[in-house]
């Protein structure tokens, strides 16, 4: 029986948090919620998650990308650089489409990209896969 | 004004590239001399084929071409250029000027027509006009592109705003179905169904607001411009908002002047204008707070101010509050279910009516939104400006 894994959900939609959070808890994950990028980065340090679900569009159209960038590249979050980040958006556009320059997507390096509404089985599978590699 | 235009036109001239295509040596020489002296960068070609090649590869600011040439004619040069680059500006010159050939040339896409012999001044004038035209064409393309980028950005943003409540509802449904039969799901179900319903209502309101906002852009189609009694509209609005104000523990009062206030507009839209302001004042207020709606005449205009005792709006946000979807964070946004479109809609409506909305605010004290609208006098006309200035004195 594997140890309980913690998933940090950073999403400004409280309903999305409630449903997906409850679902992941029912699947045995420990869930930590954050309503904004700023809160997410703070909670990151507190709870040391095994994986992060990160919404892209929050207060701005690209806030999620900013958060991902911070986690991956700022020295302050160095300890969490390798925590897998799964980005979510209702806009069905991959980072490659949104940022046509390869260097930009490379910089952001989302581990996975899922579109909303999230298929629950796809979510579970994606989490399992990324956690396996971590 | 004239001086300014002259200066910038000269700037437009400096270095503007002109290609001259004429089989007549003397013509090529004199065009080059005259235009170079005026600051243009000139290239000359003796036949249509060579000229055409140069034009298509270099895309100059202007092409001057003789109509009658051996080999490829001027007309053919024009049509071949425009087949590739419809924005290329072309001026035709010809020693056989007839009305017919002038019309034909213009129809073929030439911008202007200059009959030989022409004086240096005539040449310069025509060329200047054509180069200016070129600048305008390029500028309008740039604006078109900007508009297109903006439109796409707005479309993306709107689709996200509309999808978000649907995504939330869908995820609730998915998880409920998945958790069906498990412990504690009944309680979750009730809570989540209530939340889903709330999100549905929010979505409907958002769509309505978007329709109102885009409707107000088609000003001649959607708007009735009839004389309206502003006091009556305000009374109806305030009455409609009273229940919500009571719920939030906020008092709401309306002060009207003795005289009649008649404005021209669409009654429904005027109601929306003030409802949005009052609803905002309710939402961003504090319990025990107050909203004062005061209507009066000021400087010959109808003036309605909506003052609240809320948190106030920080200076850096003041221009943003009228932007679509901008919302200042408030902890209990849930009950409001606002769409972030109220203020932009109100402002658009005010503008359509020839008026405007100003914002004055002090953080920690409150905000005052002041709507100014032109008054109609008894003949149903807006008083001319002189009369308004009279009122100032």
């Amino acid at each position: 029986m594997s140890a309980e894994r913690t998933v940090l959900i950073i999403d400004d939609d409280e309903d999305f948090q409630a449903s997906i959070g409850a679902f992941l808890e029912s699947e045995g994950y420990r869930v930590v919620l954050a309503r904004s990028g700023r809160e997410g980065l703070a909670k990151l340090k507190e709870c040391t998650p095994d994986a992060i679900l990160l919404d892209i569009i929050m207060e701005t159209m690209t806030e999620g990308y900013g958060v991902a960038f911070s986690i991956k590249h700022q020295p302050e979050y160095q300890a969490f650089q390798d925590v897998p980040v799964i980005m979510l958006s209702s806009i069905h556009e991959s980072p490659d489409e949104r940022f046509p320059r390869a260097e930009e997507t490379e910089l952001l390096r989302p581990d996975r990209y899922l579109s909303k509404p999230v298929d629950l089985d796809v979510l579970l599978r994606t989490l399992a896969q990324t956690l396996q590699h971590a | 004004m004239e001086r300014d235009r002259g200066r910038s036109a000269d700037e437009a001239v400096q270095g503007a590239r002109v290609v001259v295509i004429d089989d007549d040596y003397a013509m090529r020489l004199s065009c080059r001399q005259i235009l170079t002296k005026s600051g243009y960068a000139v290239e000359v070609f003796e036949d249509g084929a060579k000229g055409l090649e140069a034009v298509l590869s270099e895309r100059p600011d202007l092409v001057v071409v003789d109509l009658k040439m051996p080999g490829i004619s001027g007309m053919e040069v024009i049509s071949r250029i425009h087949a590739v680059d419809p924005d290329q500006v072309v001026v035709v010159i010809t020693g056989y000027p007839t009305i017919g050939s002038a019309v034909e040339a213009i129809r073929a896409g030439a911008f202007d027509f200059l009959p030989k012999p022409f004086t240096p001044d005539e040449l310069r004038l025509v060329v200047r006009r054509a180069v200016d035209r070129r600048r305008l064409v390029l500028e309008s393309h740039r604006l078109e592109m900007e508009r297109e980028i903006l439109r796409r950005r707005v479309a993306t943003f709107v689709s996200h705003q509309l999808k978000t409540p649907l995504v939330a509802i869908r995820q609730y449904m998915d998880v409920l179905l998945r958790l069906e039969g498990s412990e504690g799901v009944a309680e979750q179900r009730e809570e989540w169904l209530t939340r889903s319903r709330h999100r549905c209502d929010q979505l409907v309101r958002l769509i309505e607001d978007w329709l109102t906002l885009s409707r107000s852009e088609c000003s001649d189609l959607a708007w009735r411009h009839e004389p309206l009694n502003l006091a009556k509209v305000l009374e109806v609005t305030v009455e409609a908002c009273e229940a919500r104000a009571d719920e939030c523990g906020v008092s709401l009062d309306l002060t009207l002047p003795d005289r009649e206030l008649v404005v021209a507009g669409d009654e429904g839209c005027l109601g929306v204008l003030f409802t949005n302001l009052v609803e905002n004042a309710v939402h961003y207020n504090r319990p025990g707070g107050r909203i004062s709606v005061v209507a009066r005449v000021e400087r010959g205009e109808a003036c309605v101010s909506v003052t609240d005792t809320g948190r106030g709006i920080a200076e850096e946000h003041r221009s943003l509050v009228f932007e679509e979807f901008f919302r200042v964070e408030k902890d209990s946004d849930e009950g409001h279910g606002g769409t972030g479109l109220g203020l932009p809609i109100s402002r658009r409506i005010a503008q359509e009516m020839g008026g405007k909305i100003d914002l004055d605010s002090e953080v920690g004290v409150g905000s005052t939104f002041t709507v100014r609208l032109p008054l109609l006098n008894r003949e149903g006309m807006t008083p001319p400006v002189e009369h308004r200035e009279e009122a100032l004195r």
Side-chain angles (χ1 to χ4, degrees):
Chain A
M1 170 69 194
S2 54
E4 191 186 55
R5 309 290 207 127
T6 303
V7 178
L8 168 62
I9 304 182
I10 308 177
D11 191 313
D12 65 339
D13 189 315
E14 57 151 327
D15 292 315
F16 183 83
Q17 283 187 338
S19 55
I20 296 301
F23 172 64
L24 291 179
E25 276 176 347
S26 77
E27 293 287 326
Y29 289 97
R30 174 175 159 249
V31 172
V32 176
L33 302 172
R35 290 282 293 272
S36 70
R38 204 174 343 171
E39 195 186 337
L41 290 172
K43 294 255 168 104
L44 176 65
K45 290 182 175 170
E46 281 167 23
C47 71
T48 321
D50 298 290
I52 301 172
L53 290 183
L54 175 58
D55 191 24
I56 296 177
I57 302 180
M58 291 189 277
E59 196 180 305
T60 67
M61 293 285 281
T62 53
E63 187 176 346
Y65 286 121
V67 173
F69 184 84
S70 297
I71 298 175
K72 301 287 184 189
H73 296 281
Q74 277 182 341
E76 194 179 342
Y77 304 103
Q78 207 167 21
F80 310 99
Q81 238 174 32
D82 296 322
V83 176
V85 175
I86 301 169
M87 300 192 78
L88 309 164
S89 177
S90 63
I91 302 212
H92 297 226
E93 189 185 69
S94 71
D96 302 296
E97 285 167 325
R98 189 179 295 219
F99 298 105
R101 300 209 321 251
E103 318 89 73
E104 283 171 328
T105 20
E106 189 37 49
L107 275 181
L108 298 170
R109 273 193 285 141
D111 297 88
R112 284 296 206 285
Y113 183 92
L114 296 178
S115 57
K116 289 184 177 182
V118 182
D119 182 300
L120 300 181
D121 292 309
V122 170
L123 177 60
L124 287 180
R125 223 177 13 244
T126 308
L127 266 176
Q129 280 169 4
T130 53
L131 288 173
Q132 220 170 38
H133 293 150
Chain B
M1 239 344 231
E2 268 304 314
R3 215 179 305 134
D4 280 341
R5 206 182 301 152
R7 214 180 300 138
S8 60
D10 283 337
E11 276 160 21
V13 161
Q14 282 315 309
R17 295 166 303 127
V18 182
V19 164
V20 178
I21 310 172
D22 196 322
D23 61 318
D24 182 332
Y25 173 75
M27 185 58 52
R28 291 200 302 277
L29 190 62
S30 64
C31 279
R32 197 217 288 266
Q33 277 178 347
I34 296 167
L35 295 178
T36 306
K37 229 202 255 165
S38 295
Y40 298 97
V42 185
E43 256 191 287
V44 300
F45 297 91
E46 64 182 351
D47 71 66
K50 290 212 189 81
L52 185 60
E53 200 186 312
V55 167
L56 292 179
S57 67
E58 285 158 44
R59 306 295 172 99
D61 296 297
L62 176 63
V63 177
V64 178
V65 62
D66 184 20
L67 268 190
K68 278 209 168 42
M69 294 184 292
I72 305 183
S73 73
M75 287 295 229
E76 183 154 359
V77 168
I78 297 175
S79 63
R80 292 237 215 139
I81 291 175
H82 284 159
V84 176
D85 182 2
D87 294 325
Q88 186 64 252
V89 178
V90 181
V91 166
V92 305
I93 53 181
T94 180
Y96 309 92
T98 64
I99 305 266
S101 58
V103 171
E104 203 189 331
I106 303 289
R107 280 225 192 100
F111 171 69
D112 210 342
F113 184 92
L114 185 61
K116 299 186 212 180
F118 46 80
T119 66
D121 276 342
E122 281 167 350
L123 176 64
R124 275 190 283 261
L125 183 63
V126 168
V127 167
R128 165 79 76 82
R129 275 209 306 257
V131 165
D132 281 347
R133 166 75 173 187
R134 174 69 166 173
R135 303 275 142 159
L136 279 177
V137 167
L138 291 179
E139 177 70 13
S140 94
H141 276 309
R142 193 182 61 80
L143 288 176
E144 258 311 306
M145 247 176 27
E146 275 177 20
R147 214 177 296 139
E148 179 59 24
I149 292 173
L150 189 65
R151 193 194 61 81
R152 245 183 263 155
R153 205 184 302 151
V154 169
T156 305
F157 197 30
V158 171
S159 90
H160 175 260
Q161 290 292 105
L162 294 177
K163 275 196 212 176
T164 300
L166 288 175
V167 163
I169 295 164
R170 172 74 140 88
Q171 304 280 204
Y172 272 143
M173 287 178 168
D174 282 345
V175 178
L176 277 179
L177 287 171
R178 189 68 89 104
L179 296 180
E180 195 56 41
S182 65
E183 206 185 304
V185 76
E187 204 178 282
Q188 287 287 37
R189 193 187 308 139
E190 189 175 339
E191 192 189 325
W192 291 358
L193 285 177
T194 307
R195 285 293 309 164
S196 297
R197 206 167 60 162
H198 173 84
R199 297 304 291 265
C200 277
D201 292 341
Q202 191 188 44
L203 181 56
V204 168
R205 259 199 309 273
L206 182 61
I207 292 171
E208 282 170 355
D209 278 354
W210 260 109
L211 281 179
T212 306
L213 193 61
S214 55
R215 191 176 76 129
S216 66
E217 302 198 55
C218 318
S219 50
D220 32 21
L221 295 176
W223 287 74
R224 293 194 297 278
H225 275 271
E226 52 193 14
L228 299 172
N229 183 333
L230 184 56
K232 182 150 156 288
V233 173
L234 289 173
E235 276 168 353
V236 169
T237 302
V238 165
E239 199 182 307
C241 294
E242 254 161 7
R244 180 91 188 113
D246 276 343
E247 253 173 64
C248 297
V250 174
S251 74
L252 177 55
D253 55 76
L254 171 64
T255 310
L256 298 170
D258 293 322
R259 59 168 284 182
E260 208 182 32
L261 294 173
V262 182
V263 297
D266 178 306
E267 189 169 3
C269 291
L270 194 58
V272 167
L273 195 173
F274 290 111
T275 303
N276 288 344
L277 293 180
V278 175
E279 277 184 354
N280 256 14
V282 171
H283 179 61
Y284 288 101
N285 220 316
R286 51 177 171 80
R290 185 172 173 215
I291 303 171
S292 307
V293 181
V294 178
R296 59 197 180 280
V297 175
E298 218 171 78
R299 294 207 287 271
E301 293 178 308
C303 198
V304 181
S305 54
V306 178
T307 307
D308 64 56
T309 54
R311 300 184 305 168
I313 299 169
E315 179 140 6
E316 62 265 23
H317 289 156
R318 258 175 242 166
S319 57
L320 294 174
V321 288
F322 289 101
E323 298 294 316
E324 285 145 26
F325 299 124
F326 178 83
R327 306 229 326 256
V328 180
E329 277 167 37
K330 195 182 193 243
D331 309 308
S332 60
D333 250 349
E334 282 56 88
H336 181 57
T339 57
L341 292 177
L343 285 180
I345 288 175
S346 290
R347 182 169 69 166
R348 184 72 59 79
I349 296 172
Q351 284 168 348
E352 285 296 328
M353 292 176 63
K356 60 191 188 112
I357 304 185
D358 292 318
L359 166 61
D360 201 7
S361 187
E362 200 183 325
V363 172
V365 176
S367 308
T368 300
F369 285 85
T370 305
V371 182
R372 291 178 208 279
L373 300 168
L375 281 170
L376 288 186
N377 59 23
R378 236 175 259 121
E379 287 82 58
M381 293 173 50
T382 335
V385 181
E386 310 88 76
H387 294 181
R388 267 185 253 164
E389 279 169 10
E390 206 102 62
L392 256 175
R393 280 186 238 121

